[in-house]
Amino acid sequence: MLNKWNEHIYYLSHDEKQERPVLGLVCGEKYSLIIDGGNSPQHAQEFLREIEKLSIPPIRYLVITHAHWDHFLGANEYDATIIMNRRTHQKWKKWQLDSLTDASLQQLVDQQLINEYAMKAIQENLINDPLFQLRDPDIIFDETLKIDLGHKICQIDTVSSTHTNDSTIVYLEDDELIFLGDCAYGKTRNSLFHYEQQMLNPMIEDIQKYQAKYFLLGHESICDLAEMDLYWKELQIANKAVKSTSLEEAMIHFEKEFKRKANENETFFIQAFVNDQILKQH
Ligand SMILES: [Zn+2]
């Protein structure tokens, strides 16, 4: 579903059944900018069909928030200048070596760029298309980039993240809204879902520097400042309780320090930080 946030900002809702993240659209007076390319050509085409119904300035830019397949495999469908940070580009290049045949997808699994589950989802969307070749990006930036769409400034920044080391956000100062991509999520390695302990506070500091009141994560509906602050708080206190690979010890620390039992979210985060400690030992 295409949502209109205000005169300048639209977004296509995420759809977890189809592995589809949020796609954003920002419109200035002269140009429009897309945030994330979609998980497949079909996903991008559906978004473009919705956009065609609007009377907005032409799409000039596409920003990729990070190099996870569900955010970029639709990128070829846009007649736009593709923007990404340098680290995203390094990962992107690994997807350009071959067309996405079963064999090349298996190579990506072997390199741990995707898991088996993602491979199956990609195969369902791009079944051995011999012509599929991910195109080159046009603008590669290091830390920060400002794009003026005509009385609409998009601030495009690389941020610290517990999800990837190549996260980009798009901040719209006038709208007090920030597109976060997946940056505030954890990640899975060796089948263990974890949040990187050392990245948590740098990430929160990076994101709290913006004067945003509304936050759009890659796989959620829009949330406000109070919801975002609660998310940060639960993550931070869970993080504080984890000092070893023992979940039991962490739960004891938590109760001692906060004089109550951890709630469901906090328990989930504690487990994820414990998993991080376990992965660090290997
Ligand atoms: Zn991601």
Side-chain angles (χ1 to χ4, degrees):
M1 188 179 83
L2 188 72
N3 304 278
K4 181 176 183 176
W5 178 251
N6 62 27
E7 290 303 312
H8 310 284
I9 297 173
Y10 300 80
Y11 62 97
L12 193 70
S13 298
H14 67 113
D15 177 354
E16 293 312 293
K17 273 194 220 118
Q18 296 194 77
E19 303 268 336
R20 290 178 169 185
V22 166
L23 304 181
L25 170 66
V26 183
C27 310
E29 284 177 6
K30 283 189 179 160
Y31 306 113
S32 298
L33 173 146
I34 302 270
I35 298 157
D36 276 338
N39 77 347
S40 57
Q42 295 91 318
H43 188 198
Q45 284 160 15
E46 278 179 37
F47 189 31
L48 285 166
R49 275 198 294 275
E50 292 292 331
I51 292 172
E52 270 171 29
K53 296 176 197 163
L54 310 170
S55 61
I56 56 159
I59 295 167
R60 176 79 185 268
Y61 304 101
L62 166 63
V63 177
I64 304 295
T65 60
H66 63 299
H68 280 167
W69 68 276
D70 52 329
H71 294 256
F72 70 75
L73 283 180
N76 287 1
E77 301 304 306
Y78 303 88
D79 182 14
T81 297
I82 300 186
I83 300 170
M84 64 186 62
N85 73 43
R86 196 167 301 281
R87 282 194 172 142
T88 301
H89 183 223
Q90 276 158 8
K91 297 178 190 190
W92 180 274
K93 282 191 279 191
K94 296 188 180 166
W95 289 81
Q96 290 187 298
L97 295 175
D98 203 347
S99 56
L100 292 181
T101 59
D102 289 346
S104 63
L105 284 172
Q106 186 59 51
Q107 279 177 18
L108 295 171
V109 173
D110 296 342
Q111 292 174 49
Q112 298 199 349
L113 279 169
I114 51 171
N115 58 27
E116 302 268 349
Y117 180 71
M119 179 169 77
K120 285 208 180 70
I122 295 167
Q123 282 165 330
E124 278 166 23
N125 284 317
L126 294 161
I127 310 160
N128 286 332
D129 177 357
L131 298 176
F132 186 89
Q133 179 73 45
L134 195 61
R135 53 165 281 204
D136 286 327
D138 304 285
I139 296 177
I140 294 160
F141 69 98
D142 281 305
E143 296 298 326
T144 179
L145 184 69
K146 262 188 192 170
I147 299 269
D148 187 353
L149 303 173
H151 286 106
K152 181 55 63 188
I153 307 277
C154 302
Q155 176 142 359
I156 303 166
D157 291 342
T158 302
V159 292
S160 304
S161 161
T162 49
H163 184 66
T164 61
N165 66 358
D166 69 316
S167 289
T168 288
I169 60 89
V170 180
Y171 174 53
L172 289 318
E173 189 180 356
D174 303 340
D175 306 280
E176 300 174 306
L177 183 138
I178 187 163
F179 283 88
L180 291 173
D182 289 355
C183 83
Y185 295 135
K187 59 183 158 184
T188 301
R189 183 155 66 93
N190 299 343
S191 308
L192 280 184
F193 179 77
H194 66 117
Y195 275 86
E196 260 192 71
Q197 279 195 299
Q198 67 202 46
M199 295 311 291
L200 182 70
N201 288 323
M203 170 177 73
I204 295 173
E205 275 170 32
D206 275 0
I207 294 167
Q208 286 183 335
K209 278 181 202 146
Y210 304 100
Q211 304 297 311
K213 287 190 179 152
Y214 305 98
F215 303 81
L216 200 43
L217 270 157
H219 301 267
E220 326 278 328
S221 319
I222 219 154
C223 62
D224 64 18
L225 189 57
E227 289 169 304
M228 204 66 214
D229 281 347
L230 179 64
Y231 179 70
W232 296 141
K233 192 178 151 223
E234 288 177 335
L235 274 168
Q236 280 180 312
I237 64 176
N239 184 30
K240 246 182 140 181
V242 177
K243 298 170 170 54
S244 73
T245 57
S246 160
L247 178 63
E248 206 187 339
E249 250 179 57
M251 296 310 270
I252 293 168
H253 279 141
F254 188 98
E255 284 195 45
K256 232 175 160 178
E257 180 144 4
F258 303 109
K259 313 266 184 293
R260 64 174 174 86
K261 284 199 187 313
N263 68 28
E264 202 182 318
N265 294 338
E266 289 155 350
T267 306
F268 176 79
F269 296 147
I270 288 169
Q271 178 68 68
F273 288 120
V274 166
N275 288 346
D276 190 48
Q277 291 262 353
I278 292 168
L279 286 165
K280 290 238 160 62
Q281 289 206 330
H282 291 291

